[in-house]
Amino acid sequence: MANREELGIIRGARAGDAECQLALGKLYLFGGASLPQSQPTALHWLHRAALQGRDEAWRLIGSHVGFEHAQHSRAAVLPWYELAWIAGAQPAGLVLAQLVLSAPQDSDARLRGKALQALEDAARAGLPDALWLLAQQRQAPAPALDQGIPAPAERGAAFDLAEAHHAALDHAWSSQSRQCFLDGALPLARQLARAAPPDAEAARGAGWLVTPQQVLLLSRCAQALADVGGAAQPDAAEQQRYRELAAYGGDRGAQLALGLWFARMDSAGARTDGGIAAVNFKRAIRWLTQAGEQGLADAWFALSRIYIKPEFSQRSVMEAQACLERAAGMGHSAAQLECGIHAWRNRRGDEYNDVRAAYWLQKAAAQGSAEAHAALERIAPQASGPSWTDTLQAMLTRELLGSQPLLAARIELAGLFRLTRAEALLLDIKTADQGHCLVIDIRAGYGRSKRRLALVRTAQQRQALDRIARQFDKVDSSLAGPEGNYRQRLYRLKTWLPGSADGDHMVPA
């Protein structure tokens, strides 16, 4: 609901006061204390203020109100965008061009000329929508892109057109259909392919030079041809030609696609019907390694699948595991899950494999892997129900905390990670903390216990654990340290907090 001041502005605007109309337009344009932002309403009042000679009104219209709102009152607001563009507002030039060029039959030659000039100015300023619209307006072939970017003396309208054309293709790739992208990109890709040597592998040695932008164009064309498939029936040879040229040009996506094509499999390692007639693992490894070195986790994962294939003559489980761990380290969810399961299955060979398993499974679970969540619950189930520390927490006063800070820290740790009383009293916190989990192993001081893991699941647990660990930094937590052995620690706990003798299922030694 509008406040008293805003109600006065609304009444003045309705009465025809230009200043009130300008002020009300600003309130709706930027939002007021109780009035919501509304560009259509702002345009209505700013238009009325501009009609009464308020220059600030049309400047605000040109700078802040976009085409989607202006198009509904095209004839009325067109002069304001023209004035704002002449005054130097680049966004106004773009909207002016959109309004004029969307209905060229309603505009005279003078206005269309101004609209095109405004569009070129907005494109030079780097506005993406302006670049896209400029490319649509200029359907003539782009400059000879196979020769690279023109020399400075040749730059001008041709250079602007090339920039606009590539910007239009970027826009089509991200927001339009693949067929729409191909309609604009294939002529350029074919021009580049004709200029390249017939043998893609000899392209570099033959002095074939392309820019990164052109390499990306070839890679996207290959991917788009593969995506449309079906009824379009793309030319497989043409698709492969673009993929090879892009791969030799250094595009990692094309290198990955080419490696998978030679291996006749998808990125998950499953066999595909498409690809080369006879599998060529040697060439597949070459391209997948190059893609992996450029940071593609999918490439390392695919390599791990190749190295464990029985039909591969250089089959190596160790090499497969190394590739798998590189993919996992780059954030590949399936690789993280597999690394976690592999470490858990081999925990008898190395006791700390369960720690590694928990690490990788937590990473995979964070990416939404239900299988990783289930595995974590088997490895380190989350305790439920009340803790023996629940009643003690209310008994801790400032005086008690000050007299026994280490014991108080152990009680807090037990509450956070559901430790038993023996685990809380005997745990070596500095050794137990592995970052992502606690290794709870008190077998040396309490023979009836079993080694287990407790996951650090929340930021609150991590912060509390760091704070507690700092309290033990300069303290020897072993049984020979100042805290004493288990009996001494248990006696201190019972005498310090008498209620601690109740509620624990573990009988003190």
Side-chain angles (χ1 to χ4, degrees):
M1 185 176 183
N3 59 33
R4 184 175 299 178
E5 180 184 357
E6 291 171 342
L7 285 173
I9 294 174
I10 292 172
R11 283 194 294 269
R14 288 174 177 173
D17 184 278
E19 289 299 328
C20 289
Q21 290 170 346
L22 175 60
L24 186 58
K26 285 179 170 180
L27 287 175
Y28 278 113
L29 187 61
F30 302 114
S34 53
L35 291 177
Q37 277 187 297
S38 173
Q39 286 204 356
T41 310
L43 178 60
H44 169 78
W45 290 113
L46 291 173
H47 169 63
R48 293 184 62 176
L51 287 174
Q52 298 196 59
R54 294 300 183 269
D55 291 350
E56 186 181 358
W58 54 257
R59 291 179 189 273
L60 288 170
I61 290 173
S63 299
H64 298 287
V65 181
F67 171 70
E68 64 273 17
H69 303 297
Q71 63 181 329
H72 302 299
S73 51
R74 175 184 179 278
V77 300
L78 195 57
W80 309 136
Y81 287 98
E82 183 179 356
L83 286 172
W85 168 64
I86 293 172
Q90 295 292 352
L94 172 60
V95 179
L96 173 65
Q98 290 172 318
L99 290 172
V100 172
L101 299 174
S102 62
Q105 68 280 2
D106 298 332
S107 307
D108 56 29
R110 179 197 64 83
L111 194 54
R112 285 198 298 274
K114 278 194 172 184
L116 286 173
Q117 185 181 350
L119 183 60
E120 290 178 355
D121 289 347
R124 290 190 185 94
L127 299 181
D129 289 339
L131 291 166
W132 170 246
L133 184 56
L134 182 61
Q136 285 184 316
Q137 294 301 312
R138 297 179 174 181
Q139 297 298 331
L145 298 182
D146 55 291
Q147 300 301 319
I149 296 177
E154 300 170 356
R155 301 174 79 170
F159 178 71
D160 288 338
L161 178 55
E163 288 290 308
H165 196 84
H166 280 295
L169 292 176
D170 287 340
H171 186 280
W173 178 262
S174 59
S175 60
Q176 306 292 324
S177 69
R178 288 293 182 259
Q179 189 59 54
C180 179
F181 170 80
L182 287 173
D183 290 342
L186 276 179
L188 297 180
R190 286 167 180 160
Q191 187 177 4
L192 286 168
R194 284 194 299 269
D199 182 6
E201 192 161 1
R204 288 184 180 176
W208 183 64
L209 299 177
V210 285
T211 66
Q213 191 178 46
Q214 293 163 353
V215 171
L216 180 61
L217 174 72
L218 290 167
S219 176
R220 285 177 171 177
C221 279
Q223 184 177 336
L225 285 170
D227 290 344
V228 295
Q233 292 297 324
D235 187 342
E238 183 179 24
Q239 174 187 331
Q240 184 63 13
R241 170 75 166 158
Y242 297 153
R243 182 183 292 138
E244 288 182 349
L245 288 173
Y248 281 103
D251 184 86
R252 63 180 190 171
Q255 291 168 345
L256 171 63
L258 192 58
L260 295 175
W261 186 81
F262 278 119
R264 295 193 68 178
M265 67 183 194
D266 60 20
S267 57
R271 186 176 179 84
T272 59
D273 295 331
I276 195 171
V279 176
N280 190 327
F281 286 127
K282 183 177 179 180
R283 298 188 71 179
I285 288 173
R286 171 193 175 185
W287 289 115
L288 291 173
T289 302
Q290 289 189 37
E293 293 292 350
Q294 292 197 69
L296 278 186
D298 281 342
W300 290 116
F301 186 75
L303 281 167
S304 73
R305 303 300 88 188
I306 290 176
Y307 276 111
I308 59 173
K309 284 184 177 293
E311 63 269 29
F312 182 36
S313 61
Q314 299 179 30
R315 184 178 186 273
S316 170
V317 175
M318 291 183 61
E319 193 67 35
Q321 186 63 26
C323 292
L324 191 69
E325 290 182 1
R326 291 194 70 167
M330 291 180 179
H332 195 284
S333 178
Q336 291 168 344
L337 173 63
E338 192 167 333
C339 280
I341 293 175
H342 180 268
W344 178 248
R345 288 174 178 170
N346 290 276
R347 63 190 181 277
R348 292 184 179 178
D350 184 348
E351 191 174 51
Y352 272 82
N353 269 343
D354 59 352
V355 176
R356 285 188 281 274
Y359 173 80
W360 289 121
L361 290 172
Q362 276 186 309
K363 293 285 188 182
Q367 297 194 57
S369 171
E371 191 174 349
H373 275 289
L376 281 173
E377 287 305 312
R378 293 194 300 270
I379 293 173
Q382 189 170 8
S384 59
S387 168
W388 65 273
T389 64
D390 292 345
T391 57
L392 301 186
Q393 295 288 348
M395 302 168 57
L396 294 176
T397 63
R398 182 174 297 179
E399 290 74 18
L400 289 173
L401 290 173
S403 63
Q404 294 288 346
L406 297 182
L407 194 53
R410 289 184 178 277
I411 292 174
E412 181 185 1
L413 192 68
L416 284 170
F417 295 96
R418 290 295 194 269
L419 307 182
T420 65
R421 190 171 61 187
E423 289 172 343
L425 292 175
L426 291 174
L427 187 66
D428 186 339
I429 296 170
K430 292 179 288 186
T431 304
D433 185 8
Q434 300 296 315
H436 62 286
C437 69
L438 283 178
V439 178
I440 302 168
D441 187 2
I442 60 169
R443 290 174 295 180
Y446 198 84
R448 283 178 287 176
S449 68
K450 293 183 179 180
R451 184 181 185 277
R452 68 184 183 91
L453 301 183
L455 300 181
V456 179
R457 298 177 185 271
T458 66
Q460 179 189 7
Q461 287 179 326
R462 182 66 263 168
Q463 292 168 0
L465 184 54
D466 289 340
R467 174 171 46 79
I468 292 169
R470 285 195 293 270
Q471 292 183 255
F472 287 85
D473 274 345
K474 298 181 180 179
V475 177
D476 182 3
S477 299
S478 68
L479 298 180
E483 292 183 281
N485 58 29
Y486 177 59
R487 287 182 178 275
Q488 292 170 322
R489 297 181 189 193
L490 184 60
Y491 176 78
R492 188 180 299 111
L493 174 64
K494 290 180 177 180
T495 55
W496 183 53
L497 292 174
S500 63
D502 303 324
D504 188 22
H505 70 280
M506 297 190 74
V507 181

